[in-house]
Amino acid sequence: MSRHLARVAVVTGLVASIGVSTGAWAAEISISCSALGKEYEICKQGVDAWAKKTGNTVKIVSTPNSATERLALYQQLLAAGAGDIDVFQIDVVWTGTLSKHLVDLTGKAQGVIDQHLPTVIETSRVDGKLMAMPWFADAGLLYYRKDLLETYKRPVPETWGDLTETARLVQEGERKAGRNDFWGYVWQGRAYEGLTTNALEWIASYGGGTIVDEKGEITIDNPNAAQALKTASGWVGTVTPEGVLNYTEEESRGVFQAGNAVFMRNWPYAWALAQGGDSTIKDKVGIAPLPKGGADGRHAGTLGGQLLAVSKYSKNADAATDLVMYLTGPEEQKRRAIEGSFNPTIIALFKDPDVMKANPFIGDLLDVFTNAIARPASVTRDNYNKVSTEFFNNVHEVLSKRAQPEQALSRLDRDLKRVKRSGW
Ligand code: GLC
């Protein structure tokens, strides 16, 4: 095991070998997979099937849960030209940042790429070249407890104002009944990429734009964005635990799935787990679009998702590409949608009867997925991570009550101008 892979193994504590053949002719491929919720297990099943079919061997390298930590690890490995990982699971916002280390898949994807959601294909392209294959799509969703809304006779919230009111009402009621750990609303507030996705939803829902617009103009310093941040910071310590300032997806799911919150913001993967056999909230959960920022605001879910890319430093790029095409193909996307509620990127699967039966929300929320708000990754190119980092750090300051929204946004505007200098 090389030094780099050994380091990854230490960081993540997990490297598994899968395969049926180790013949001299068979390639040994390694793939990085997320381990969020059931992701590792589901990735392993897919990889296993390919290994069996082709006689190759596959190692899975599990990665940190925080998107920001994962990117740092990838950048470290790739900057050193390490061939330890052949296939990378990459975030939809990293294609521009990592493309110089990736194999161009345009030729291989011909004939299949048009089957995928155009918004996600967009995130896979750099200068017209397809640098990764779409694997699954994410959009921020509102999870709510159907049973509690019924008990307290409250509708699913349409606006953030409604959400705040209902969260407070249910929290007070549950606490009076002795549930002292009960909260109104949990989400992702740690200073990392996940906070960027949450805060973009608040801001876009209030008509405050997307940090940087499609033309590359910095638009973040505006009153609607300030209003959105003010609303969110008002939740912390009232309907949202202060601990949210250190929550990623899994911490918020932990609270919600233990039955300790009425609302949660999360991605689709949380559905399969909430509905799992050992879940205390099985059959008590509903999913809806995230609330609007006031009556004239809009429902806004951030577009997320993951792609699979082949490293330029791979010694087995052909076999690695074959694995990518298999995992992103219809059979695997369907299995993942049914078993893990991972939203497909292949449009036809949204209407697949088996997918609709297993996880009806996937078909019901096609609108949310097609209209999801993209982060300004394509336009800011390899500066995106800097833009996002400045953004989530400033938002975190506001949520921790160390800065006023207006003050943080004008500082952010200045910092982003510095990152942009003469262009992205
Ligand atoms: C999910 C999304 C990804 C996003 C991340 C933030 O993994 O798929 O796009 O950046 O969450 O935590």
Side-chain angles (χ1 to χ4, degrees):
M1 197 185 287
S2 80
R3 224 178 64 234
H4 292 295
L5 190 53
R7 208 188 139 261
V8 174
V10 171
V11 168
T12 61
L14 196 55
V15 175
S17 270
I18 294 162
V20 290
S21 169
T22 49
W25 49 273
E28 186 181 86
I29 303 295
S30 62
I31 177 172
S32 73
C33 281
S34 159
L36 207 72
K38 290 209 279 195
E39 246 183 314
Y40 176 84
E41 183 192 325
I42 290 183
C43 175
K44 183 176 177 295
Q45 290 160 355
V47 158
D48 223 349
W50 179 81
K52 201 164 168 193
K53 198 170 114 181
T54 62
N56 293 304
T57 308
V58 186
K59 267 194 200 128
I60 298 185
V61 179
S62 148
T63 54
N65 275 350
S66 151
T68 298
E69 283 172 41
R70 195 182 305 163
L71 176 62
L73 178 67
Y74 286 3
Q75 283 180 310
Q76 221 178 333
L77 288 167
L78 290 166
D84 298 331
I85 299 181
D86 301 286
V87 176
F88 282 88
Q89 169 177 341
I90 70 168
D91 198 303
V92 288
V93 288
W94 299 344
T95 321
T97 303
L98 299 178
S99 68
K100 54 181 174 292
H101 304 291
L102 305 176
V103 172
D104 178 1
L105 300 175
T106 315
K108 288 278 191 249
Q110 253 172 26
V112 296
I113 194 65
D114 291 343
Q115 299 166 2
H116 295 257
L117 286 168
T119 43
V120 185
I121 301 176
E122 244 358 88
T123 69
S124 318
R125 285 208 167 111
V126 177
D127 295 332
K129 291 186 191 152
L130 191 77
M131 304 311 291
M133 278 298 292
W135 199 17
F136 62 92
D138 269 336
L141 302 170
L142 179 71
Y143 286 76
Y144 60 90
R145 285 281 301 277
K146 283 190 300 202
D147 56 329
L148 290 173
L149 293 190
E150 220 172 280
T151 310
Y152 289 84
K153 300 195 173 30
R154 299 290 302 179
V156 177
E158 260 299 298
T159 65
W160 291 115
D162 300 340
L163 177 136
T164 311
E165 217 181 286
T166 302
R168 187 172 297 131
L169 180 86
V170 178
Q171 182 177 308
E172 273 170 18
E174 292 300 292
R175 289 198 181 185
K176 268 196 204 117
R179 280 183 277 282
N180 289 328
D181 290 338
F182 196 91
W183 291 96
Y185 186 36
V186 289
W187 34 279
Q188 295 81 47
R190 183 186 294 188
Y192 82 122
E193 185 61 31
L195 177 55
T196 292
T197 63
N198 281 244
L200 181 65
E201 284 157 355
W202 310 327
I203 292 175
S205 78
Y206 274 94
T210 56
I211 315 168
V212 174
D213 72 11
E214 282 165 6
K215 294 194 213 81
E217 297 302 323
I218 298 161
T219 59
I220 191 61
D221 191 6
N222 70 72
N224 291 352
Q227 175 64 40
L229 293 190
K230 198 167 156 222
T231 307
S233 102
W235 297 326
V236 180
T238 58
V239 292
T240 295
E242 276 176 6
V244 83
L245 298 174
N246 205 24
Y247 280 11
T248 66
E249 287 79 2
E250 283 294 85
E251 286 83 15
S252 38
R253 185 175 68 83
V255 174
F256 187 72
Q257 205 169 307
N260 288 335
V262 56
F263 297 118
M264 167 178 74
R265 183 266 178 216
N266 218 322
W267 308 106
Y269 86 96
W271 173 258
L273 295 153
Q275 285 297 89
D278 58 347
S279 166
T280 50
I281 53 170
K282 186 167 163 33
D283 298 328
K284 294 180 179 163
V285 183
I287 295 187
L290 286 162
K292 304 197 270 192
D296 52 358
R298 57 164 292 188
H299 297 289
T302 296
L303 175 70
Q306 304 286 318
L307 318 168
L308 289 178
V310 177
S311 162
K312 228 168 76 177
Y313 316 112
S314 165
K315 294 181 191 69
N316 293 298
D318 284 345
T321 306
D322 193 65
L323 173 60
V324 167
M325 298 315 286
Y326 175 79
L327 291 176
T328 57
E331 196 188 321
E332 256 304 283
Q333 287 211 6
K334 177 169 173 173
R335 188 187 67 84
R336 292 172 57 90
I338 292 173
E339 281 173 31
S341 61
F342 289 103
N343 218 78
T345 61
I346 296 173
I347 302 163
L349 290 176
F350 282 88
K351 300 225 163 65
D352 182 285
D354 301 329
V355 172
M356 281 167 78
K357 189 163 162 247
N359 290 312
F361 82 90
I362 292 182
D364 290 353
L365 296 181
L366 180 58
D367 249 19
V368 174
F369 294 104
T370 32
N371 297 319
I373 314 279
R375 283 162 276 176
S378 320
V379 72
T380 59
R381 306 174 66 95
D382 57 358
N383 282 303
Y384 173 73
N385 195 45
K386 277 191 202 141
V387 170
S388 177
T389 304
E390 299 285 1
F391 178 65
F392 65 62
N393 280 334
N394 274 289
V395 171
H396 199 263
E397 292 269 296
V398 174
L399 299 175
S400 340
K401 319 275 193 297
R402 289 199 299 263
Q404 289 299 323
E406 293 79 5
Q407 184 194 0
L409 292 178
S410 90
R411 189 173 55 201
L412 175 62
D413 178 70
R414 213 180 48 228
D415 293 344
L416 292 183
K417 284 187 175 134
R418 201 173 307 129
V419 176
K420 182 178 177 188
R421 280 191 224 109
S422 49
W424 297 112

